Amino acid sequence: MAVARTLVLLIASMLVPVPPLQAEPTPEIQARIQQLFPKATRIDDKRADYPVYPVYQLNELLGYAYESRDISDLTGYSGKPISLLVGIDVDGHFTGVQVMDHHEPVFLHGLGEGPLFDFVDQYRGRSLTEHIVVNGKKTGSDGEGGVVYVDGITSATVSVIIINDTVLSSALKVARDQLEAFAQAPAAQPTDLFEPLTWQQMLERGYLGHWRLSVEEAESRIGNALDAYPALPEPTPGEAAIDIYYGYASAPMIGRNLLGDEAFARLTENLKSGEQMLAVMSNGVFTHVADDFRPGTVAERLSLEQSDLAVELRDMNRLDPDTRLRADGMPAFEQAHLFKMGGSGGFNPGADASLVMNLALPRNHLTVDRARFRTDLNLPQELFERVAVTAPGAQNRLPTWVGLWQERWLQVTILVASLVVLTVCFARQRHYSRYPKRLHRFRWGFLFFTLFFIGFHAQGQLSVVNIFTLLLSLHDGFEIGTFLLDPVIFILWTFTFITLFIWGRGLFCGWLCPFGAMQEMASWLGKTLQVRQRRVPEAWHRRLIHLKYLILVGLVGTSLHSLTLAEQLAEVEPFKTSLTLYFWRYWPFVVYAAGLLVAGMFVHKFFCRYLCPLGAGLAVLGKFRLFSWLTRVKLCGQPCQVCKHHCEINAIRTDGRIDYNECIQCLECVVILRDDTRCVDSLIRKKRQRRARIQAVNVA
């Protein structure tokens, strides 16, 4: 009996659910949470069912603190997550954000961490109901619950955008799971119902929404007549202040009638799971986007709110003569856009939502009035069916890198075009080398483009730190999204990697490296100032070129042990000081970077030849190149040394062979080989031809 009773109790204990274990906050976490909630008298352990720390004043819940990596593990620009401690109160306001750990190089060893701490301090007091935009045209708010612009950090745009996305996405997940006011309604998805309908029929059935606000109503709400704002056009008789039509284009009943079957199928297929389309068309004094609206960006004037949260409206930039809104009987509109709904907040068509117009009304160059109008977003519920509610934050959001590429589309276009031009030039180098003056002008023009556009403007300087990121990513699980965060760097790395197997390292080092271009200009300046040029003896040169390989091995080995230490040692590259921070830095770094440029005035491209670990890494991969494009002839090096003497980087050996590990592909040797007045082989050949003609004349 005793044994049986014991077995029964054991089985019963296994069937009774055991409360999940809770994690007690460390003293450091507890102290940080106390700073986020100064009035807190009790901080509970981290809950096992949802990783948050409940914070109380006596028995009153003040809010929750959480570590961002427990909720939204977004990867930083360094390839490692940025760990933040975030506090939100029960009303959905941020009580503060603190940086716990990060590996962002620009803050650790560049700008310093002060600007990073100042940036995250801007979230204190902000609300989840606000639409927070980084690097906006201004800082501050357009009004309660409206667009909020937080000041970004120059030279650290990618990092702060990642931080903003981390803060917002994680806070929204916590709010929807823990705060009653932000709980999600039952989710809905569009059905496959469809029948051909005209514009008027869709209006009559409520499939298209209409929001009209007369000029008189707008003036009443604003508190001023519209003629008090000189920048506004004078309304025509009968014109409305706001006259907006909208339709939930993800529903086939609406989307197929608005876009046509082919365009609807194509656009729907390109949407990721959870992404939805909203068609918006408008006339009136205030259209839904301003005249200077940039295609592909987030709408600032028109916003969408649901469950007191801002839902991102991003222009899909897909409407053109072939893909347009064209329902039968559709009137003409001044503005028409197809928006993708989602972002950090997601969108549930089965829940109440509102369209909001945020207007900036300048009286003069000093005074700007703000006006905010709202209307319910009435979607036809008969076109939807209820589905199971997904876990908080489980809806797929637009990847962070997509927005970054859209924001930098002009830089991407210019860069890709320049790389195409450079590729054509290299592919036809034997043709263009016949015109040395034009080729020299093209090279110097491209070097200026590399320094000022790729380097200073687009911040496209590749670094050995990128190699650390790649190696660690391969070790920890490769995620291409990390490398897509900076479109300019990604395009340059892709192009460089491909061309390494065609031309070797020289295409990047000689044409696309901003600091390399800066060194070329320093060398030119030295010659212009008649600084005596020093040529390193051949024996010493062959020894010193191995130094950069030793530096590379040391840095890569250190990164496997300590990424932070490796990033500090990577300051052997002066790129951050000279290009990212424009020489505005602690003086030893400035002296080092400037010293390398001064050295380059005496010894051509001193840093590139002997110290650059990035060049060493590219040279290693460049060993696998498939072609040797630089033509050599029998007399090169035996006895002709013209090309070697003109090769300022000393990449031509005494026997005439080209050292592709050191060559920067300046194409000077190709020009000399094509020049009948400089190439010894050509001169000898011409001399022999002249003798043959003379002998032929004498014989005749």
Side-chain angles (χ1 to χ4, degrees):
M1 289 293 295
V3 175
R5 187 181 300 110
T6 302
L7 289 174
V8 171
L9 291 175
L10 179 60
I11 294 172
S13 65
M14 295 173 66
L15 296 175
V16 175
V18 178
L21 296 176
Q22 295 182 316
E24 182 180 354
T26 64
E28 179 190 1
I29 295 292
Q30 194 155 8
R32 286 177 175 269
I33 294 176
Q34 190 70 54
Q35 294 175 3
L36 297 178
F37 295 89
K39 296 182 180 180
T41 58
R42 186 176 98 233
I43 301 172
D44 282 1
D45 297 343
K46 182 192 291 186
R47 290 171 45 179
D49 60 335
Y50 205 88
V52 295
Y53 298 97
V55 182
Y56 294 86
Q57 183 181 30
L58 299 178
N59 291 323
E60 179 186 358
L61 179 65
L62 296 179
Y64 298 94
Y66 64 90
E67 298 175 60
S68 62
R69 60 188 176 188
D70 291 334
I71 308 293
S72 181
D73 198 18
L74 290 179
T75 303
Y77 184 57
S78 65
K80 292 289 185 179
I82 301 173
S83 180
L84 306 170
L85 184 68
V86 183
I88 56 173
D89 64 19
V90 292
D91 296 321
H93 290 83
F94 289 102
T95 62
V97 177
Q98 294 187 7
V99 180
M100 297 180 62
D101 182 53
H102 73 96
H103 293 275
E104 301 303 282
V106 71
F107 296 122
L108 287 175
H109 319 298
L111 297 170
E113 293 184 310
L116 174 60
F117 298 151
D118 292 340
F119 174 77
V120 298
D121 281 345
Q122 296 178 92
Y123 290 95
R124 185 185 302 275
R126 300 263 65 101
S127 173
L128 287 172
T129 64
E130 296 170 325
H131 181 35
I132 299 176
V133 178
V134 176
N135 276 344
K137 300 174 184 176
K138 50 189 176 299
T139 58
S141 175
D142 276 351
E144 183 181 354
V147 179
V148 172
Y149 301 91
V150 293
D151 190 15
I153 303 174
T154 303
S155 304
T157 303
V158 174
S159 294
V160 297
I161 289 178
I162 294 170
I163 291 172
N164 183 62
D165 199 66
T166 300
V167 170
L168 295 182
S169 61
S170 61
L172 288 167
K173 292 176 184 179
V174 172
R176 284 177 165 165
D177 190 81
Q178 300 296 315
L179 302 180
E180 183 178 352
F182 298 98
Q184 286 181 299
Q189 65 181 19
T191 64
D192 293 330
L193 294 176
F194 173 75
E195 64 175 293
L197 297 174
T198 64
W199 174 271
Q200 188 59 36
Q201 288 173 326
M202 286 193 287
L203 278 177
E204 292 172 352
R205 296 192 186 187
Y207 295 163
L208 294 177
H210 185 200
W211 179 18
R212 180 182 175 87
L213 192 70
S214 68
V215 171
E216 293 74 21
E217 290 174 309
E219 291 177 335
S220 175
R221 297 190 192 183
I222 295 171
N224 274 317
L226 295 186
D227 57 14
Y229 307 102
L232 294 181
E234 183 178 351
T236 59
E239 184 179 20
I242 296 174
D243 192 12
I244 293 178
Y245 291 83
Y246 58 87
Y248 182 81
S250 287
M253 186 72 78
I254 301 172
R256 289 175 63 182
N257 281 306
L258 278 177
L259 295 162
D261 292 344
E262 182 181 347
F264 175 78
R266 183 174 64 254
L267 292 173
T268 303
E269 184 179 353
N270 291 333
L271 290 175
K272 298 181 183 297
S273 176
E275 294 179 343
Q276 300 156 77
M277 298 184 293
L278 183 72
V280 181
M281 303 131 285
S282 65
N283 289 316
V285 178
F286 305 104
T287 53
H288 62 276
V289 295
D291 292 337
D292 60 352
F293 176 73
R294 288 188 302 164
T297 62
V298 176
E300 294 184 0
R301 178 178 285 183
L302 182 70
S303 61
L304 181 61
E305 293 182 2
Q306 187 172 62
S307 301
D308 293 328
L309 300 177
V311 177
E312 183 180 89
L313 290 178
R314 181 177 291 276
D315 176 34
M316 295 178 65
N317 196 21
R318 291 292 185 270
L319 297 183
D320 53 44
D322 295 327
T323 303
R324 55 187 177 86
L325 302 175
R326 52 185 177 185
D328 290 341
M330 175 179 166
F333 289 102
E334 187 176 343
Q335 295 281 4
H337 291 86
L338 199 61
F339 290 106
K340 185 183 296 182
M341 296 184 289
S344 299
F347 180 73
N348 178 9
D352 293 338
S354 300
L355 277 177
V356 180
M357 282 282 282
N358 301 283
L359 301 179
L361 305 169
R363 293 192 186 186
N364 48 54
H365 65 285
L366 296 176
T367 305
V368 178
D369 291 341
R370 306 285 175 187
R372 183 176 171 81
F373 306 99
R374 176 191 299 270
T375 188
D376 291 338
L377 183 73
N378 296 312
L379 298 181
Q381 293 304 302
E382 65 267 24
L383 299 183
F384 302 99
E385 59 184 4
R386 302 295 171 177
V387 295
V389 179
T390 56
Q395 290 178 318
N396 292 332
R397 298 180 300 108
L398 190 71
T400 304
W401 66 265
V402 175
L404 294 173
W405 281 68
Q406 291 173 334
E407 289 290 333
R408 302 180 69 178
W409 68 270
L410 182 58
Q411 289 183 359
V412 169
T413 303
I414 294 174
L415 178 61
V416 170
S418 68
L419 296 180
V420 170
V421 171
L422 186 60
T423 302
V424 171
C425 175
F426 263 70
R428 304 195 62 195
Q429 58 183 251
R430 294 183 182 180
H431 170 74
Y432 293 118
S433 61
R434 298 174 181 173
Y435 312 98
K437 289 185 178 180
R438 295 180 183 178
L439 185 60
H440 289 153
R441 290 170 184 167
F442 173 75
R443 173 165 164 74
W444 274 103
F446 205 94
L447 288 177
F448 274 96
F449 170 82
T450 294
L451 177 59
F452 292 102
F453 178 80
I454 296 179
F456 287 127
H457 177 68
Q459 292 292 297
Q461 174 68 66
L462 303 188
S463 167
V464 72
V465 175
N466 303 129
I467 298 179
F468 300 163
T469 303
L470 175 61
L471 293 176
L472 290 172
S473 177
L474 293 173
H475 179 268
D476 298 334
F478 182 76
E479 174 55 58
I480 194 171
T482 301
F483 303 94
L484 289 168
L485 291 171
D486 191 322
V488 171
I489 295 294
F490 179 81
I491 292 171
L492 283 173
W493 264 119
T494 303
F495 181 80
T496 300
F497 182 78
I498 294 173
T499 56
L500 280 174
F501 302 101
I502 302 175
W503 290 290
R505 65 168 276 205
L507 183 59
F508 171 78
C509 294
W511 294 76
L512 292 171
C513 177
F515 191 76
M518 195 181 296
Q519 285 190 98
E520 295 251 16
M521 295 173 189
S523 177
W524 172 85
L525 180 62
K527 295 171 187 174
T528 303
L529 297 176
Q530 298 184 343
V531 173
R532 182 182 176 185
Q533 301 296 294
R534 305 286 182 175
R535 195 173 185 90
V536 180
E538 185 72 18
W540 276 103
H541 170 73
R542 291 298 159 191
R543 295 189 184 98
L544 289 174
I545 59 177
H546 295 102
L547 183 58
K548 59 179 175 286
Y549 296 96
L550 295 177
I551 295 173
L552 173 66
V553 172
L555 289 175
V556 172
T558 303
S559 70
L560 300 176
H561 171 69
S562 170
L563 179 61
T564 301
L565 178 59
E567 289 168 345
Q568 293 173 340
L569 296 178
E571 288 291 349
V572 69
E573 295 179 330
F575 308 153
K576 189 182 307 174
T577 299
S578 57
L579 293 157
T580 305
L581 302 175
Y582 310 108
F583 292 97
W584 188 257
R585 203 179 180 191
Y586 186 44
W587 68 267
F589 295 99
V590 176
V591 170
Y592 172 68
L596 290 175
L597 292 176
V598 172
M601 296 174 66
F602 294 87
V603 179
H604 187 75
K605 301 194 77 163
F606 174 82
F607 173 78
C608 294
R609 294 163 71 178
Y610 305 125
L611 298 177
C612 182
L614 175 62
L618 296 179
V620 171
L621 290 176
K623 291 179 180 294
F624 300 100
R625 76 184 189 283
L626 302 176
F627 309 102
S628 296
W629 291 76
L630 303 178
T631 305
R632 299 281 84 192
V633 295
K634 185 176 180 180
L635 294 181
C636 289
Q638 300 174 357
C640 181
Q641 300 290 321
V642 174
C643 291
K644 177 174 176 57
H645 292 320
H646 280 83
C647 182
E648 295 183 296
I649 204 166
N650 201 5
I652 301 179
R653 296 180 181 271
T654 306
D655 60 7
R657 289 178 298 138
I658 293 177
D659 186 351
Y660 280 87
N661 294 334
E662 304 301 318
C663 178
I664 61 168
Q665 298 280 351
C666 66
L667 303 183
E668 185 61 31
C669 60
V670 180
V671 170
I672 292 175
L673 203 63
R674 291 280 182 176
D675 191 342
D676 293 342
T677 64
R678 299 169 69 188
C679 177
V680 171
D681 183 74
S682 297
L683 291 172
I684 292 176
R685 188 169 56 253
K686 287 174 62 177
K687 187 175 182 180
R688 289 173 178 171
Q689 291 173 353
R690 188 163 52 250
R691 286 179 179 176
R693 285 196 300 269
I694 293 174
Q695 291 176 356
V697 170
N698 291 336
V699 170

